[in-house]
DNA sequence: GTCTATAATAAGATAGAC
DNA sequence: GTCTATCTTATTATAGAC
C-alpha cells in the first residue's frame, strides 16, 4: 500500500470510505473525487476505471482483515490463555472497523470470485497458513488432553461467527432488544467474557 | 403476500430473485421485467418505482426470515432438547435460503433504517416477542439449575452467529480450507452437532 | 498532473396507442 | 392491462487545453 504520489493516496482513502459505505454498485465516482478533493477526470487518470479502483480498495481491505485476524493470534502456549487472547483481540480488531466485515460479505454477495482470488494471492505470498496454525494449536491441546476432542475447523468457525455477529447485525439487535447499545464498551466487554466462558466450559475436560 | 393478479405475483417473484442476487443498487428493472416475462412499463404500472418494488421484496424477506426463526423454536420443556431443536432447525432453515441472510446484511449496510422499520412493524403486529421468548426459556433453565448462569441475550447471539457464519462466508471458508464443501450434507450435519456439543457442554452444570 | 467540457451510454420513468 | 417508443437524468469515461 505504498503509493507514489500524495494524490494517489488521497484517492484510495476517499474510495475506501465511499466503497465501504455504499458498496461497489452504490458508490459514485463523483463522490469519491469530491471526497479526495479532486475531479472525476483525475480519478480516471490514476485508475483507468471504477472497477480497477474498486479492486484496489478490496485488495487492501481483505489484506487488512487478514492481518487483523493474524494479530489476534497469541504465541502463548497455555490453551485457555491462547483462547482468551484470540477472542478478546479479535473482537477489539473488529470493533475498530466493523464496516470491513460487512464490505467483504457484500463482495461475497456479488459472487465471491474477487475475494477468493485476493485470498489466494495472500496465501501464496505467505508461508504460514494462519487458519491452519490455529487448527494445529487446537489439535495439540486435544492431544495433550487439555480439552475434549472437537473438530478444530468448526471451533474456529464458531469463534469467528460469535465474534462478528453482533457487529454486522447491530440494527437488528438494537431493534429487538431496545436496552442494548452494541458499540458501548460495557456490551462489548460482556460479549468477550460470555463467549470465552461458553467456549472454555464447553471445551475443558 | 396475497397478490391480486398473476402478473403481480410473477413480478414479485422475479424481483425477489434479482434483488437477492444483486442487491438494491446492482439490480436492474430491465432484468426484473425480463425475468417476469413482461416489460419495464408494466413494472411501473404495478409498482410506481424501483424503491417501492424493493421495499415490497424486503418486507417479504424479512418476514420470512423472522418466520424461519420462529419455526426453530420448540415447545419442548427439557432444555437440552429445546437447544438441540433450535440449532438443528435454524441451520436447516438457513440452508434452504442462505441468500436471504446476506440480503438482509446488505440492506443493513445501506443504513438499516428499512430493516428496523419492517422489524418494528412485525413486532407490533405480534403479541409474542419471539426473541424474548427464547430468553425466558434460558432464564427458566438457569432458575431450575439445569444450566449455569449465563446472559440469555448473549447466548442467543452466539447461537445465531455460529449458525449463520459458514453460510455467508462460504467462498472464504472454501478458499482457506480446500477440503470443505459448505453445502454438503456431511459438513452441515457435522456443523449442527459441533455447535450443539460446544454449547451444551458449555452450559450444563 | 490537473482541469473544464463533453461524449456515450445506461437506467429509471412516462406518454400514448391498443 | 399490456405494449412500443421516448423522455430525462445520472453516471462512467475521455478529449483536449493548460
Amino acid at each position: 500500500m505504498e503509493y507514489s504520489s500524495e494524490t494517489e493516496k488521497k484517492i484510495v482513502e476517499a474510495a475506501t470510505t465511499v466503497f465501504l459505505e455504499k458498496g461497489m454498485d452504490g458508490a459514485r465516482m463523483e463522490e469519491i473525487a469530491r471526497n479526495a478533493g479532486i475531479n472525476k477526470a483525475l480519478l480516471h487518470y490514476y485508475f483507468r476505471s471504477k472497477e480497477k479502483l474498486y479492486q484496489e480498495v478490496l485488495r487492501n481491505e481483505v489484506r487488512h482483515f487478514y492481518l487483523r485476524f493474524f494479530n489476534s493470534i497469541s504465541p502463548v502456549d497455555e490453551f485457555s490463555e491462547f483462547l482468551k487472547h484470540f477472542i478478546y483481540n479479535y473482537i477489539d480488531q473488529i470493533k475498530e472497523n466493523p464496516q470491513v466485515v460487512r464490505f467483504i460479505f457484500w463482495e461475497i454477495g456479488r459472487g465471491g470470485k474477487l475475494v477468493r482470488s485476493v485470498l489466494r494471492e495472500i496465501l501464496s505470498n505467505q508461508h504460514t497458513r494462519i487458519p491452519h496454525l490455529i487448527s494445529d494449536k487446537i489439535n495439540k491441546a486435544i492431544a495433550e488432553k487439555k480439552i475434549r476432542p472437537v473438530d478444530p475447523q468448526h471451533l474456529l468457525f464458531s469463534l469467528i461467527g460469535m465474534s462478528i455477529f453482533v457487529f454486522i447485525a447491530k440494527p437488528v439487535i438494537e431493534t429487538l432488544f431496545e436496552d442494548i447499545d452494541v458499540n458501548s464498551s460495557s456490551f462489548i466487554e460482556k460479549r468477550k467474557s460470555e463467549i470465552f466462558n461458553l467456549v472454555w466450559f464447553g471445551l475443558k475436560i
Side-chain angles (χ1 to χ4, degrees), chain A:
Chain A
M1 243 130 18
E2 285 306 307
Y3 296 109
S4 36
S5 77
E6 196 57 30
T7 307
E8 204 171 349
K9 204 176 135 190
K10 277 195 298 185
I11 290 176
V12 175
E13 277 174 16
T16 303
T17 307
V18 176
F19 279 130
L20 254 66
E21 193 188 333
K22 309 270 174 81
M24 166 66 178
D25 294 321
R28 294 294 163 252
M29 294 297 265
E30 174 67 46
E31 190 182 355
I32 294 173
R34 195 169 0 97
N35 267 18
I38 56 164
N39 59 31
K40 286 189 289 177
L42 208 53
L43 273 189
H44 285 86
Y45 173 79
Y46 281 96
F47 300 86
R48 286 183 60 79
S49 67
K50 184 183 182 182
E51 184 65 34
K52 286 258 198 308
L53 181 53
Y54 178 73
Q55 288 186 21
E56 177 69 19
V57 170
L58 182 77
R59 193 164 273 115
N60 292 343
E61 294 307 311
V62 172
R63 276 208 202 90
H64 281 155
F65 188 72
Y66 199 77
L67 278 180
R68 263 189 283 279
F69 185 58
F70 180 73
N71 281 332
S72 308
I73 298 171
S74 154
V76 176
D77 221 48
E78 164 61 25
F79 190 76
S80 76
E81 278 306 306
F82 172 81
L83 185 65
K84 184 172 236 160
H85 187 275
F86 179 79
I87 294 166
Y88 279 57
N89 280 60
Y90 192 54
I91 288 181
D92 279 335
Q93 306 282 348
I94 294 165
K95 183 188 64 187
E96 293 307 315
N97 210 346
Q99 310 122 290
V100 177
V101 183
R102 203 176 290 136
F103 178 68
I104 293 176
F105 286 145
W106 216 326
E107 177 55 33
I108 290 177
R110 287 172 26 96
K113 280 185 75 171
L114 252 174
V115 175
R116 290 184 83 121
S117 97
V118 176
L119 258 186
R120 268 196 282 263
E121 193 186 299
I122 295 172
L123 289 175
S124 68
N125 290 338
Q126 189 117 21
H127 286 279
T128 53
R129 306 281 160 107
I130 292 161
H132 294 278
L133 209 141
I134 297 182
S135 293
D136 291 348
K137 202 88 166 186
I138 297 170
N139 277 327
K140 186 161 166 282
I142 296 171
E144 291 171 354
K145 308 224 185 280
K146 306 283 189 189
I147 61 174
R148 67 179 180 83
V150 290
D151 185 304
Q153 293 175 336
H154 281 276
L155 177 55
L156 180 59
F157 302 151
S158 295
L159 291 171
I160 298 175
M162 285 188 280
S163 299
I164 65 180
F165 175 70
V166 295
F167 294 100
I168 40 177
K170 177 171 150 60
V172 172
I173 287 176
E174 292 178 350
T175 304
L176 294 180
F177 302 98
E178 290 175 1
D179 54 318
I180 293 181
D181 171 6
V182 169
N183 287 337
S184 71
S185 63
S186 68
F187 179 82
I188 290 176
E189 292 310 309
K190 181 90 172 161
R191 183 87 203 117
K192 291 173 185 172
S193 65
E194 287 288 323
I195 294 177
F196 174 75
N197 285 332
L198 185 67
V199 176
W200 182 233
F201 284 121
L203 288 176
K204 73 175 178 192
I205 297 179

Coordinates of all heavy atoms in Angstrom, one line a residue, chain A residues 20-22 25-28 66 69 102 104-106 108-113 115-116 119-120 123 131-132 135 148-162 164-166 168-180 187-188 190-192 194-195 197-199 201-203:
Chain A
L20 N -16.8 1.4 1.2 CA -17.2 0.7 2.4 C -18.6 1.1 2.8 O -19.3 0.2 3.4 CB -16.2 1.0 3.5 CG -15.2 -0.2 3.8 CD1 -14.3 -0.5 2.7 CD2 -14.4 0.1 5.1
E21 N -18.9 2.3 2.5 CA -20.3 2.7 2.9 C -21.4 2.3 2.0 O -22.4 1.9 2.4 CB -20.3 4.3 3.1 CG -21.5 4.8 3.8 CD -21.5 6.3 3.8 OE1 -20.4 6.9 3.7 OE2 -22.6 6.9 3.9
K22 N -21.0 2.4 0.6 CA -22.1 2.2 -0.4 C -22.0 0.9 -1.2 O -22.9 0.6 -1.9 CB -22.0 3.4 -1.4 CG -22.1 4.8 -0.7 CD -23.5 5.3 -0.5 CE -23.5 6.6 0.2 NZ -23.2 7.8 -0.6
D25 N -21.7 -1.1 -6.3 CA -22.8 -0.6 -7.1 C -23.4 0.7 -6.7 O -23.8 1.5 -7.5 CB -23.9 -1.6 -7.2 CG -23.5 -2.9 -7.9 OD1 -22.7 -2.8 -8.9 OD2 -23.9 -4.0 -7.5
G26 N -23.4 0.9 -5.4 CA -23.9 2.2 -4.8 C -23.0 3.3 -4.9 O -23.4 4.5 -4.8
A27 N -21.7 3.0 -5.0 CA -20.7 4.1 -5.0 C -20.7 4.9 -6.3 O -21.0 4.4 -7.3 CB -19.3 3.5 -4.8
R28 N -20.3 6.2 -6.1 CA -20.3 7.1 -7.3 C -18.9 7.7 -7.4 O -18.4 8.3 -6.5 CB -21.3 8.2 -7.2 CG -22.8 7.8 -7.2 CD -23.1 7.2 -8.6 NE -24.4 6.4 -8.5 CZ -24.4 5.1 -8.7 NH1 -23.3 4.4 -8.8 NH2 -25.6 4.4 -8.6
Y66 N -7.3 -9.8 7.0 CA -6.5 -11.0 7.3 C -5.4 -10.7 8.3 O -5.2 -11.5 9.2 CB -5.8 -11.4 6.0 CG -5.3 -12.8 6.0 CD1 -6.2 -13.9 5.9 CD2 -4.0 -13.1 6.1 CE1 -5.8 -15.2 5.9 CE2 -3.5 -14.4 6.1 CZ -4.4 -15.4 6.0 OH -4.0 -16.7 6.0
F69 N -6.9 -10.6 11.8 CA -7.1 -11.9 12.2 C -5.7 -12.5 12.7 O -5.7 -13.0 13.8 CB -7.5 -12.7 11.0 CG -7.9 -14.2 11.2 CD1 -8.8 -14.5 12.2 CD2 -7.2 -15.2 10.6 CE1 -9.2 -15.8 12.4 CE2 -7.6 -16.5 10.8 CZ -8.5 -16.8 11.7
R102 N -18.7 -6.2 6.9 CA -19.9 -6.1 6.0 C -19.5 -5.9 4.6 O -20.1 -6.5 3.7 CB -20.7 -4.9 6.5 CG -22.2 -5.0 6.1 CD -23.0 -3.9 6.6 NE -23.1 -3.9 8.1 CZ -23.0 -2.9 8.9 NH1 -22.7 -1.7 8.4 NH2 -23.2 -3.0 10.2
I104 N -16.9 -7.0 3.1 CA -16.4 -8.3 2.5 C -17.6 -9.2 2.2 O -17.7 -9.9 1.2 CB -15.4 -9.0 3.4 CG1 -14.1 -8.2 3.4 CG2 -15.1 -10.4 2.9 CD1 -13.0 -8.6 4.4
F105 N -18.6 -9.3 3.1 CA -19.8 -10.0 2.9 C -20.5 -9.5 1.6 O -21.1 -10.2 0.8 CB -20.7 -10.0 4.1 CG -20.2 -10.9 5.2 CD1 -20.4 -10.6 6.5 CD2 -19.6 -12.1 4.9 CE1 -20.0 -11.4 7.5 CE2 -19.1 -12.9 5.9 CZ -19.3 -12.5 7.3
W106 N -20.5 -8.2 1.5 CA -21.1 -7.5 0.4 C -20.5 -8.1 -0.9 O -21.2 -8.5 -1.9 CB -20.8 -6.0 0.5 CG -21.8 -5.1 0.0 CD1 -22.7 -5.3 -1.0 CD2 -22.1 -3.8 0.6 NE1 -23.5 -4.2 -1.2 CE2 -23.2 -3.3 -0.2 CE3 -21.6 -3.0 1.6 CZ2 -23.7 -2.0 0.1 CZ3 -22.1 -1.8 1.8 CH2 -23.2 -1.3 1.1
I108 N -18.8 -10.8 -1.3 CA -19.2 -12.2 -1.4 C -20.5 -12.3 -2.1 O -20.7 -13.2 -3.0 CB -19.2 -12.9 -0.1 CG1 -17.7 -13.0 0.5 CG2 -19.8 -14.3 -0.2 CD1 -17.6 -13.7 1.8
G109 N -21.4 -11.4 -1.8 CA -22.8 -11.5 -2.4 C -22.7 -11.2 -3.9 O -23.6 -11.6 -4.6
R110 N -21.7 -10.5 -4.3 CA -21.5 -10.2 -5.7 C -20.9 -11.4 -6.5 O -20.5 -11.3 -7.6 CB -20.7 -9.0 -6.0 CG -21.4 -7.7 -5.6 CD -20.5 -6.5 -5.7 NE -19.3 -6.6 -6.5 CZ -19.2 -6.1 -7.7 NH1 -20.2 -5.5 -8.3 NH2 -18.1 -6.2 -8.4
G111 N -20.8 -12.5 -5.8 CA -20.2 -13.7 -6.4 C -19.1 -14.3 -5.7 O -18.9 -15.5 -5.6
G112 N -18.2 -13.5 -5.1 CA -17.2 -14.0 -4.3 C -15.9 -14.3 -5.0 O -14.9 -14.7 -4.4
K113 N -15.9 -14.2 -6.4 CA -14.7 -14.5 -7.1 C -13.5 -13.7 -6.8 O -12.4 -14.1 -6.6 CB -15.0 -14.4 -8.6 CG -15.8 -15.6 -9.2 CD -15.9 -15.5 -10.7 CE -14.6 -15.8 -11.5 NZ -14.8 -16.0 -12.9
V115 N -13.0 -12.0 -4.0 CA -12.4 -12.2 -2.6 C -11.6 -13.5 -2.7 O -10.5 -13.5 -2.1 CB -13.6 -12.4 -1.6 CG1 -13.1 -12.9 -0.3 CG2 -14.4 -11.2 -1.5
R116 N -12.1 -14.5 -3.4 CA -11.3 -15.8 -3.5 C -9.9 -15.5 -4.1 O -8.9 -16.0 -3.6 CB -12.0 -16.8 -4.3 CG -13.3 -17.4 -3.7 CD -13.9 -18.4 -4.6 NE -13.2 -19.7 -4.4 CZ -13.9 -20.8 -4.0 NH1 -15.2 -20.8 -3.9 NH2 -13.2 -21.9 -3.9
L119 N -7.7 -13.6 -1.7 CA -7.3 -14.5 -0.6 C -6.2 -15.5 -1.1 O -5.2 -15.7 -0.4 CB -8.4 -15.3 -0.1 CG -9.1 -14.9 1.1 CD1 -10.2 -15.9 1.6 CD2 -8.1 -14.7 2.3
R120 N -6.4 -16.0 -2.3 CA -5.4 -17.0 -2.8 C -4.0 -16.3 -3.0 O -3.0 -16.8 -2.7 CB -5.8 -17.6 -4.1 CG -6.6 -18.9 -3.9 CD -6.7 -19.6 -5.2 NE -7.8 -19.0 -6.0 CZ -9.0 -19.5 -6.1 NH1 -9.4 -20.6 -5.4 NH2 -9.9 -18.9 -6.9
L123 N -2.5 -15.9 0.4 CA -2.0 -17.2 0.9 C -0.7 -17.6 0.2 O 0.2 -18.2 0.9 CB -3.1 -18.2 0.7 CG -4.3 -18.1 1.6 CD1 -5.3 -19.2 1.3 CD2 -3.9 -18.3 3.1
P131 N -4.9 -19.9 9.3 CA -6.0 -20.7 9.8 C -5.6 -22.1 10.3 O -6.0 -22.6 11.3 CB -7.0 -20.7 8.6 CG -6.6 -19.6 7.8 CD -5.2 -19.4 7.9
H132 N -4.7 -22.7 9.5 CA -4.2 -24.0 9.8 C -3.4 -23.9 11.1 O -3.4 -24.9 11.9 CB -3.4 -24.5 8.7 CG -4.2 -24.8 7.5 ND1 -4.9 -26.0 7.3 CD2 -4.4 -24.1 6.4 CE1 -5.5 -25.9 6.1 NE2 -5.2 -24.8 5.5
S135 N -5.8 -24.3 13.9 CA -6.2 -25.7 14.0 C -5.1 -26.5 14.7 O -5.4 -27.4 15.5 CB -6.4 -26.2 12.6 OG -7.5 -25.6 12.0
R148 N -11.4 -31.5 25.5 CA -12.0 -32.7 24.9 C -11.9 -32.6 23.4 O -11.6 -31.5 22.8 CB -13.5 -32.8 25.3 CG -14.4 -31.7 24.8 CD -15.8 -31.8 25.2 NE -16.6 -30.7 24.6 CZ -17.1 -30.7 23.3 NH1 -16.9 -31.8 22.6 NH2 -17.7 -29.7 22.9
P149 N -12.0 -33.7 22.7 CA -11.9 -33.8 21.2 C -13.0 -33.0 20.5 O -14.2 -33.3 20.8 CB -11.9 -35.3 20.8 CG -11.9 -36.0 22.1 CD -12.3 -35.1 23.2
V150 N -12.6 -32.0 19.7 CA -13.6 -31.3 18.9 C -12.9 -31.1 17.5 O -11.7 -31.3 17.3 CB -13.9 -29.9 19.4 CG1 -14.7 -30.0 20.7 CG2 -12.6 -29.1 19.6
D151 N -13.8 -30.8 16.6 CA -13.3 -30.5 15.2 C -12.7 -29.1 15.2 O -13.4 -28.1 15.5 CB -14.4 -30.6 14.2 CG -13.9 -30.4 12.8 OD1 -13.3 -29.4 12.5 OD2 -14.2 -31.3 12.0
P152 N -11.4 -28.9 15.0 CA -10.7 -27.6 15.1 C -11.3 -26.6 14.1 O -11.5 -25.4 14.4 CB -9.3 -27.9 14.7 CG -9.1 -29.4 14.8 CD -10.5 -30.0 14.5
Q153 N -11.6 -27.0 12.9 CA -12.2 -26.1 11.9 C -13.5 -25.5 12.4 O -13.8 -24.3 12.3 CB -12.4 -26.8 10.5 CG -11.1 -27.2 9.9 CD -11.3 -27.9 8.6 OE1 -12.3 -28.6 8.4 NE2 -10.3 -27.9 7.7
H154 N -14.4 -26.4 12.9 CA -15.7 -26.0 13.3 C -15.6 -25.1 14.5 O -16.3 -24.1 14.7 CB -16.6 -27.2 13.6 CG -17.2 -27.8 12.4 ND1 -18.3 -27.3 11.8 CD2 -16.8 -28.8 11.6 CE1 -18.6 -28.0 10.8 NE2 -17.7 -28.9 10.6
L155 N -14.6 -25.4 15.4 CA -14.4 -24.5 16.6 C -14.0 -23.1 16.1 O -14.5 -22.1 16.6 CB -13.4 -25.1 17.5 CG -13.0 -24.2 18.7 CD1 -14.2 -23.8 19.5 CD2 -12.0 -24.9 19.6
L156 N -13.1 -23.1 15.1 CA -12.7 -21.8 14.6 C -13.9 -21.0 14.0 O -14.0 -19.8 14.2 CB -11.6 -22.0 13.5 CG -11.1 -20.8 12.8 CD1 -10.4 -19.8 13.8 CD2 -10.0 -21.1 11.7
F157 N -14.7 -21.7 13.2 CA -15.9 -21.0 12.6 C -16.8 -20.5 13.7 O -17.4 -19.4 13.6 CB -16.6 -22.0 11.7 CG -15.8 -22.5 10.6 CD1 -16.1 -23.8 10.0 CD2 -14.7 -21.8 10.1 CE1 -15.3 -24.3 9.0 CE2 -14.0 -22.3 9.0 CZ -14.3 -23.6 8.5
S158 N -16.9 -21.3 14.8 CA -17.8 -20.8 15.9 C -17.3 -19.6 16.5 O -18.0 -18.6 16.8 CB -17.9 -22.0 16.9 OG -18.6 -23.1 16.3
L159 N -16.0 -19.6 16.8 CA -15.4 -18.4 17.4 C -15.6 -17.1 16.5 O -16.0 -16.1 17.0 CB -13.9 -18.6 17.6 CG -13.5 -19.7 18.7 CD1 -12.0 -20.0 18.6 CD2 -13.9 -19.2 20.1
I160 N -15.3 -17.3 15.2 CA -15.5 -16.1 14.3 C -16.9 -15.7 14.3 O -17.2 -14.5 14.4 CB -14.9 -16.5 12.9 CG1 -13.4 -16.8 13.0 CG2 -15.1 -15.3 12.0 CD1 -12.8 -17.2 11.7
G161 N -17.8 -16.7 14.1 CA -19.2 -16.3 13.9 C -19.8 -15.6 15.2 O -20.4 -14.6 15.1
M162 N -19.4 -16.1 16.4 CA -19.9 -15.5 17.6 C -19.3 -14.1 17.7 O -20.0 -13.2 18.2 CB -19.4 -16.3 18.8 CG -20.2 -17.6 19.0 SD -19.9 -18.4 20.6 CE -18.3 -19.2 20.2
I164 N -18.2 -11.9 15.3 CA -18.6 -10.8 14.3 C -20.1 -10.6 14.3 O -20.5 -9.4 14.0 CB -18.2 -11.2 12.9 CG1 -18.9 -12.4 12.3 CG2 -16.7 -11.3 12.8 CD1 -18.5 -12.7 10.9
F165 N -20.9 -11.5 14.7 CA -22.4 -11.4 14.5 C -22.9 -10.1 15.0 O -23.6 -9.4 14.3 CB -23.1 -12.6 15.1 CG -24.6 -12.4 15.0 CD1 -25.3 -12.5 13.8 CD2 -25.4 -12.2 16.1 CE1 -26.6 -12.3 13.7 CE2 -26.7 -12.0 16.1 CZ -27.4 -12.0 14.8
V166 N -22.6 -9.8 16.3 CA -23.3 -8.6 16.9 C -22.9 -7.3 16.1 O -23.7 -6.4 16.1 CB -23.0 -8.4 18.4 CG1 -23.5 -9.6 19.2 CG2 -21.5 -8.3 18.6
I168 N -22.3 -7.0 12.7 CA -23.0 -6.8 11.5 C -24.5 -6.8 11.6 O -25.1 -6.2 10.8 CB -22.6 -8.0 10.4 CG1 -22.5 -9.3 11.1 CG2 -21.3 -7.6 9.7 CD1 -22.2 -10.4 10.1
A169 N -25.0 -7.3 12.7 CA -26.4 -7.3 12.9 C -26.9 -6.2 13.8 O -28.1 -6.2 14.2 CB -26.9 -8.6 13.4
K170 N -26.0 -5.2 14.1 CA -26.3 -4.2 15.0 C -27.7 -3.6 15.0 O -28.4 -3.6 16.0 CB -25.2 -3.1 14.9 CG -25.4 -1.8 15.7 CD -24.2 -0.9 15.6 CE -24.5 0.5 15.8 NZ -25.1 0.9 17.1
P171 N -28.2 -3.1 13.8 CA -29.5 -2.5 13.8 C -30.6 -3.5 14.2 O -31.6 -3.1 14.8 CB -29.7 -2.1 12.3 CG -28.3 -2.0 11.8 CD -27.6 -3.1 12.5
V172 N -30.5 -4.7 13.8 CA -31.5 -5.7 14.1 C -31.5 -6.0 15.6 O -32.6 -6.0 16.3 CB -31.2 -7.1 13.4 CG1 -32.1 -8.2 13.9 CG2 -31.3 -6.9 11.9
I173 N -30.3 -6.2 16.2 CA -30.2 -6.4 17.6 C -30.8 -5.3 18.4 O -31.5 -5.5 19.4 CB -28.7 -6.7 18.0 CG1 -28.3 -8.0 17.5 CG2 -28.5 -6.5 19.5 CD1 -26.8 -8.3 17.7
E174 N -30.4 -4.1 18.0 CA -30.9 -2.9 18.8 C -32.4 -2.6 18.6 O -33.0 -1.9 19.4 CB -30.1 -1.7 18.4 CG -28.6 -1.8 18.9 CD -27.7 -0.7 18.6 OE1 -28.1 0.2 17.8 OE2 -26.6 -0.6 19.1
T175 N -33.0 -3.2 17.6 CA -34.4 -3.1 17.4 C -35.1 -4.1 18.3 O -36.2 -3.9 18.9 CB -34.9 -3.2 16.0 OG1 -34.2 -2.3 15.2 CG2 -36.3 -3.0 15.8
L176 N -34.6 -5.4 18.3 CA -35.2 -6.4 19.0 C -35.1 -6.2 20.5 O -36.0 -6.5 21.3 CB -34.7 -7.8 18.6 CG -35.0 -8.2 17.2 CD1 -34.3 -9.6 16.9 CD2 -36.5 -8.3 16.9
F177 N -33.9 -5.7 20.9 CA -33.7 -5.5 22.4 C -33.3 -4.0 22.5 O -32.2 -3.6 22.3 CB -32.5 -6.4 22.8 CG -32.8 -7.9 22.6 CD1 -32.2 -8.5 21.6 CD2 -33.6 -8.6 23.5 CE1 -32.5 -9.9 21.4 CE2 -33.8 -9.9 23.3 CZ -33.2 -10.6 22.3
E178 N -34.3 -3.3 23.0 CA -34.1 -1.8 23.0 C -33.1 -1.4 24.0 O -32.6 -0.2 24.0 CB -35.4 -1.2 23.2 CG -36.3 -1.3 21.9 CD -37.7 -0.7 22.1 OE1 -38.0 -0.2 23.2 OE2 -38.5 -0.8 21.2
D179 N -32.8 -2.2 25.0 CA -31.8 -1.8 26.0 C -30.4 -2.0 25.6 O -29.5 -1.6 26.4 CB -32.1 -2.6 27.3 CG -32.1 -4.1 27.1 OD1 -32.6 -4.6 26.0 OD2 -31.5 -4.9 27.9
I180 N -30.1 -2.6 24.5 CA -28.7 -2.9 24.1 C -28.2 -1.8 23.2 O -28.8 -1.3 22.3 CB -28.6 -4.2 23.3 CG1 -29.0 -5.4 24.2 CG2 -27.3 -4.4 22.7 CD1 -28.9 -6.7 23.6
F187 N -21.2 -3.4 26.8 CA -21.8 -4.6 26.0 C -20.6 -5.4 25.4 O -20.6 -6.6 25.4 CB -22.7 -4.1 24.9 CG -23.2 -5.2 24.0 CD1 -24.3 -5.9 24.4 CD2 -22.6 -5.5 22.8 CE1 -24.8 -7.0 23.6 CE2 -23.1 -6.6 22.0 CZ -24.2 -7.3 22.4
I188 N -19.6 -4.7 24.9 CA -18.5 -5.4 24.2 C -17.7 -6.2 25.2 O -17.3 -7.4 24.9 CB -17.6 -4.4 23.4 CG1 -18.4 -3.9 22.2 CG2 -16.4 -5.0 23.0 CD1 -17.7 -2.8 21.4
K190 N -18.8 -7.5 28.0 CA -19.6 -8.6 28.3 C -19.6 -9.6 27.2 O -19.5 -10.9 27.5 CB -21.1 -8.1 28.5 CG -22.1 -9.1 28.9 CD -22.2 -9.3 30.4 CE -23.3 -10.2 30.8 NZ -23.2 -10.7 32.1
R191 N -19.7 -9.2 26.0 CA -19.6 -10.1 24.8 C -18.4 -11.0 24.9 O -18.5 -12.2 24.7 CB -19.7 -9.3 23.5 CG -19.8 -10.2 22.3 CD -21.2 -10.5 21.9 NE -21.3 -11.7 21.1 CZ -21.9 -12.8 21.4 NH1 -22.5 -12.9 22.6 NH2 -22.0 -13.8 20.6
K192 N -17.3 -10.3 25.1 CA -16.0 -11.1 25.2 C -16.0 -12.2 26.2 O -15.7 -13.3 26.0 CB -14.8 -10.1 25.5 CG -14.5 -9.2 24.4 CD -13.4 -8.2 25.0 CE -13.1 -7.1 24.0 NZ -12.2 -6.1 24.6
E194 N -18.6 -13.5 27.8 CA -19.6 -14.6 27.6 C -19.1 -15.6 26.6 O -19.4 -16.8 26.8 CB -20.9 -13.9 27.2 CG -21.7 -13.2 28.3 CD -22.3 -14.1 29.4 OE1 -22.8 -15.2 29.0 OE2 -22.3 -13.8 30.6
I195 N -18.5 -15.1 25.5 CA -18.0 -16.0 24.5 C -16.9 -16.9 25.1 O -17.0 -18.1 25.0 CB -17.5 -15.3 23.3 CG1 -18.6 -14.6 22.6 CG2 -16.8 -16.3 22.3 CD1 -18.1 -13.7 21.4
N197 N -16.3 -17.7 28.2 CA -16.8 -18.7 29.2 C -17.5 -19.9 28.5 O -17.3 -21.0 28.9 CB -17.7 -18.0 30.2 CG -16.9 -17.2 31.2 OD1 -15.7 -17.5 31.5 ND2 -17.5 -16.1 31.7
L198 N -18.4 -19.5 27.6 CA -19.1 -20.6 26.9 C -18.2 -21.6 26.3 O -18.4 -22.8 26.4 CB -20.1 -19.9 25.8 CG -21.0 -20.9 25.1 CD1 -22.0 -21.5 26.1 CD2 -21.7 -20.3 23.9
V199 N -17.2 -21.0 25.6 CA -16.3 -21.9 24.8 C -15.4 -22.7 25.8 O -15.2 -23.9 25.6 CB -15.5 -21.2 23.8 CG1 -14.5 -22.1 23.1 CG2 -16.4 -20.5 22.8
F201 N -15.8 -23.5 29.0 CA -16.5 -24.5 29.7 C -16.9 -25.6 28.8 O -17.1 -26.8 29.1 CB -17.8 -23.9 30.4 CG -17.5 -23.2 31.7 CD1 -17.8 -21.9 31.8 CD2 -16.8 -23.8 32.8 CE1 -17.5 -21.2 33.0 CE2 -16.6 -23.1 33.9 CZ -16.9 -21.8 34.0
G202 N -17.2 -25.2 27.5 CA -17.6 -26.2 26.5 C -16.4 -27.1 26.1 O -16.7 -28.1 25.4
L203 N -15.2 -26.7 26.4 CA -14.1 -27.5 25.9 C -13.3 -28.3 27.0 O -12.8 -29.4 26.7 CB -13.1 -26.5 25.2 CG -13.5 -25.9 23.9 CD1 -12.4 -25.0 23.4 CD2 -13.7 -27.1 22.8

